[in-house]
Amino acid sequence: MSLSTLSKLPTLCTRCARPLPLSRRNLATFSSASTSPLKLAIIGAGPSGFYTASRVLSSLPADSPSGRDVEVHMYERLPTPYGLVRYGVAPDHPEVKNCQHKFDELAKDPRFKYFGNVLITSQASIYSFSPSTDPPTPPTALSSYTYPHAVTIPLTSLVHHYNALLLSYGASLSNPLTSVPGSSSSPSPLAGVYPALALVGWYNGHPAFADLPVDLRGMTDVSVVGQGNVAMDVARILLKRAEDLSGTDIPDDILHVLAQSDVKHVRAVGRRGPGQVAFTTKEFREIISIPGVGFEGLEGGMMEDAKALVKGDRMRTRILGLMEKDNKHVGGEKSFSLDFLRSPAAFRGDERVRAVDWTVNQLLLSAPDYPAPPPSQPGAATATGGASGEGTGLRAGSSGGIVARPTGEKVTTKADIVVESVGYRSEPLGPVEEGGWGLPFDRSKGRVKNVGGRVVAEDGVAIPGIYAAGWVARGPIGVIASTMHDAYSVADQLLADHYSTPAGSVSTGNPLPREPESGLPAEIAQGQREGKVVDLEKWGRIDAAERERGMARGKEREKFRRVEEMLAVLG
């Protein structure tokens, strides 16, 4: 079924091929006799996965004609659910983790099943990149973790058992700074240089980064490359006192490393100007409010230029107002700063990083006769915007996005640790065996090929029954609320498509059968017999053990940092 065909279905908007709001009452009255019962597999147990599952099941009540035959199975490569909420959200932001309750609600529906500790992928597709076409990624440089305790199943074995598939496995790789000597993805990485993904995974207790070599003793200066919310999270965790983090779910042995920290100054460095930062007002206000941490406001000339560029944008004007103010805490031993118009040229040191060479940039407005360089180049950066260019060095009369261009000037700053916070990418899934069906994946963007959540083949035609939601579909943007709305939209698309397709219909190029095989893939059934697959009951036991460990330490939970520790709870 093509996108043009889908756009003609009565439940879709013909102008944009996106679904109109679905009446749950109408969905509940669909007759299962006119179409195949829905059997949905979801790969990834993060927010987008369980929001989609919740929408599907709540739209089809169990006592409705269609709802009684619905099955939703969720697969996750770790024993634990929640994905980014458990391993990516800042531990001192517990309120953001409340969306975990949505997963707990799913557990009450007998039509929903969870299969944790199941790896659905080709390991070769993740760890064997071609140097000529694919960038190295943090797993090759800082973690060789391959989920050795998981039950492995190729995607080609899974699809025979489902007539709908949702990909919601997030973005678990870092954008590499391959061209920067000494970076974590360079041929000769320096110690003390970490992708933000790795450091965030480390202090959140992710098993893949349990052995990340982090030692903060004697380390006084930290440079964070990037100015997004993740950069602010990293800076805040490194600047806060360990005792102020003791009530969070940071594992105790990580707290011990943080307690020994000698970090005195953290700088977050962006390649554009103050008006193009990616962090929110809330994140910035929080970091400059840390007791004992000082912040020096920006110099006047740069601030005036930035204000001119964001004129009329209330949110960015508010952020600039905070940047303008000095926030010097009396007796404070630590400080935070923002550096602008800098791109990393090289991380220098013998075996570990000691300094960073920065290329100095200037802001220009991109125009048809002055195209922006590809984002992979160190000096390139784009942002939406546009205002008067007076006094900014911007090209008068130009239009388009703001770009940072290298001036040729270089500066060097001291750095004992560098954190690369330059974005995340998703990894491709593919068949283990040769000749099997491969998932369409855009390697340049690091996400599954899709149009509005429908996965599309190389020719741009939608593949019936296969969908993507969250970061694997849109890239690493948005917050939990936007993830929820995106997931609900994709769920509505999935339901509209499924219940508009008559039973017994045949679609070319579709790896999913309209009448899926009953039961579970053989690998899952065997894994259950061997006690390796973690279902809802087993996850409940792991969860209870973590909470009991936390109670003894005066916090909500003490995470297990290794999969073998989780599985040991199960006997």
Side-chain angles (χ1 to χ4, degrees):
M1 185 181 296
S2 68
L3 281 175
S4 59
T5 303
L6 287 171
S7 66
K8 298 175 183 177
L9 296 176
T11 51
L12 298 181
C13 168
T14 56
R15 295 184 64 185
C16 58
R18 292 183 63 83
L20 295 171
L22 293 172
S23 164
R24 295 190 181 187
R25 183 177 179 182
N26 290 339
L27 281 171
T29 58
F30 276 123
S31 171
S32 58
S34 64
T35 189
S36 303
L38 177 61
K39 190 177 181 185
L40 169 64
I42 298 176
I43 301 179
S48 58
F50 53 70
Y51 277 127
T52 304
S54 173
R55 179 76 162 189
V56 167
L57 292 173
S58 63
S59 297
L60 299 170
D63 58 357
S64 67
S66 297
R68 66 172 63 99
D69 295 322
V70 171
E71 295 181 72
V72 178
H73 296 171
M74 181 175 285
Y75 292 89
E76 168 60 46
R77 62 186 178 182
L78 285 171
T80 56
Y82 308 137
L84 179 71
V85 177
R86 178 178 168 100
Y87 294 118
V89 171
D92 57 345
H93 286 172
E95 71 283 355
V96 182
K97 302 188 179 188
N98 289 336
C99 62
Q100 293 177 358
H101 299 317
K102 184 63 69 175
F103 181 89
D104 299 336
E105 292 174 9
L106 284 172
K108 301 174 184 177
D109 193 320
R111 299 172 297 170
F112 173 79
K113 289 183 172 57
Y114 171 73
F115 302 102
N117 201 38
V118 175
L119 181 66
I120 302 172
T121 187
S122 165
Q123 290 298 322
S125 70
I126 302 177
Y127 299 106
S128 300
F129 287 96
S130 166
S132 62
T133 59
D134 299 308
T137 58
T140 62
L142 292 175
S143 174
S144 58
Y145 196 75
T146 57
Y147 300 85
H149 303 282
V151 174
T152 302
I153 173 173
L155 186 61
T156 46
S157 294
L158 184 78
V159 295
H160 300 303
H161 292 267
Y162 300 93
N163 55 13
L165 173 66
L166 175 76
L167 305 160
S168 60
Y169 57 85
S172 54
L173 303 177
S174 281
N175 279 332
L177 292 174
T178 313
S179 62
V180 179
S183 73
S184 65
S185 54
S186 69
S188 301
L190 293 174
V193 179
Y194 308 99
L197 181 146
L199 198 66
V200 169
W202 170 75
Y203 64 62
N204 272 312
H206 195 296
F209 299 104
D211 296 318
L212 192 71
V214 179
D215 188 346
L216 303 177
R217 292 172 295 183
M219 307 291 111
T220 60
D221 290 82
V222 178
S223 288
V224 182
V225 183
Q227 292 179 334
N229 282 341
V230 174
M232 296 299 104
D233 286 344
V234 168
R236 194 176 64 254
I237 295 299
L238 291 176
L239 287 169
K240 274 190 169 182
R241 299 181 306 172
E243 52 264 39
D244 293 334
L245 296 168
S246 60
T248 71
D249 62 2
I250 295 181
D252 276 1
D253 45 0
I254 304 300
L255 284 172
H256 179 68
V257 175
L258 294 174
Q260 295 180 309
S261 171
D262 289 316
V263 171
K264 300 299 182 187
H265 178 68
V266 177
R267 70 175 73 237
V269 186
R271 52 190 173 183
R272 293 170 291 182
Q276 292 79 51
V277 295
F279 55 73
T280 62
T281 305
K282 177 182 179 296
E283 290 280 346
F284 183 62
R285 181 183 288 114
E286 190 172 357
I287 196 168
I288 62 175
S289 300
I290 301 174
V293 176
F295 172 77
E296 293 187 4
L298 305 187
E299 56 92 6
M302 179 176 287
M303 181 57 67
E304 291 306 313
D305 289 347
K307 286 180 179 179
L309 283 172
V310 304
K311 188 175 182 180
D313 188 327
R314 287 186 295 177
M315 183 191 71
R316 293 193 175 275
T317 299
R318 192 178 305 121
I319 292 177
L320 290 178
L322 290 175
M323 293 184 196
E324 198 171 14
K325 301 176 181 177
D326 287 349
N327 190 31
K328 298 177 181 178
H329 293 276
V330 177
E333 297 181 352
K334 299 181 180 181
S335 61
F336 172 75
S337 64
L338 293 170
D339 288 0
F340 299 99
L341 301 176
R342 302 283 187 271
S343 295
F347 303 141
R348 294 197 291 107
D350 295 329
E351 294 184 354
R352 70 166 296 114
V353 66
R354 296 299 180 191
V356 180
D357 292 337
W358 304 95
T359 295
V360 178
N361 299 325
Q362 63 178 334
L363 294 183
L364 300 172
L365 286 175
S366 64
D369 62 336
Y370 202 150
S376 59
Q377 295 183 13
T382 62
T384 57
S388 169
E390 294 179 3
T392 64
L394 301 183
R395 309 180 90 217
S398 297
S399 62
I402 298 173
V403 299
R405 291 284 184 172
T407 63
E409 181 185 352
K410 293 276 199 317
V411 295
T412 300
T413 59
K414 179 179 182 295
D416 301 306
I417 292 175
V418 172
V419 182
E420 306 162 338
S421 185
V422 291
Y424 297 165
R425 301 168 58 84
S426 297
E427 61 194 50
L429 294 179
V432 172
E433 68 276 8
E434 289 290 331
W437 179 78
L439 184 69
F441 192 83
D442 188 333
R443 290 181 179 270
S444 64
K445 295 180 179 179
R447 58 183 187 239
V448 171
K449 291 185 177 181
N450 73 101
V451 175
R454 291 187 180 95
V455 174
V456 298
E458 298 298 330
D459 59 3
V461 175
I463 303 174
I466 303 183
Y467 303 83
W471 285 9
V472 75
R474 297 180 290 112
I477 57 175
V479 293
I480 297 295
S482 58
T483 295
M484 179 186 70
H485 292 301
D486 172 61
Y488 284 175
S489 175
V490 173
D492 289 350
Q493 289 184 32
L494 186 156
L495 291 171
D497 294 349
H498 181 81
Y499 287 103
S500 299
T501 305
S505 62
V506 178
S507 299
T508 59
N510 182 8
L512 300 177
R514 284 301 300 171
E515 304 293 337
E517 296 180 18
S518 61
L520 298 168
E523 296 91 337
I524 302 301
Q526 181 178 344
Q528 288 178 320
R529 290 191 297 269
E530 295 174 350
K532 294 181 179 179
V533 175
V534 175
D535 57 17
L536 287 170
E537 186 274 333
K538 289 181 177 179
W539 156 240
R541 289 158 60 186
I542 295 172
D543 181 43
E546 287 189 342
R547 291 179 183 276
E548 184 177 351
R549 282 157 45 98
M551 188 180 301
R553 295 166 170 82
K555 55 185 181 179
E556 182 179 358
R557 72 172 62 241
E558 174 67 15
K559 293 178 183 174
F560 294 111
R561 296 180 61 217
R562 300 181 185 277
V563 170
E564 50 267 41
E565 295 174 340
M566 302 176 193
L567 300 180
V569 172
L570 307 177

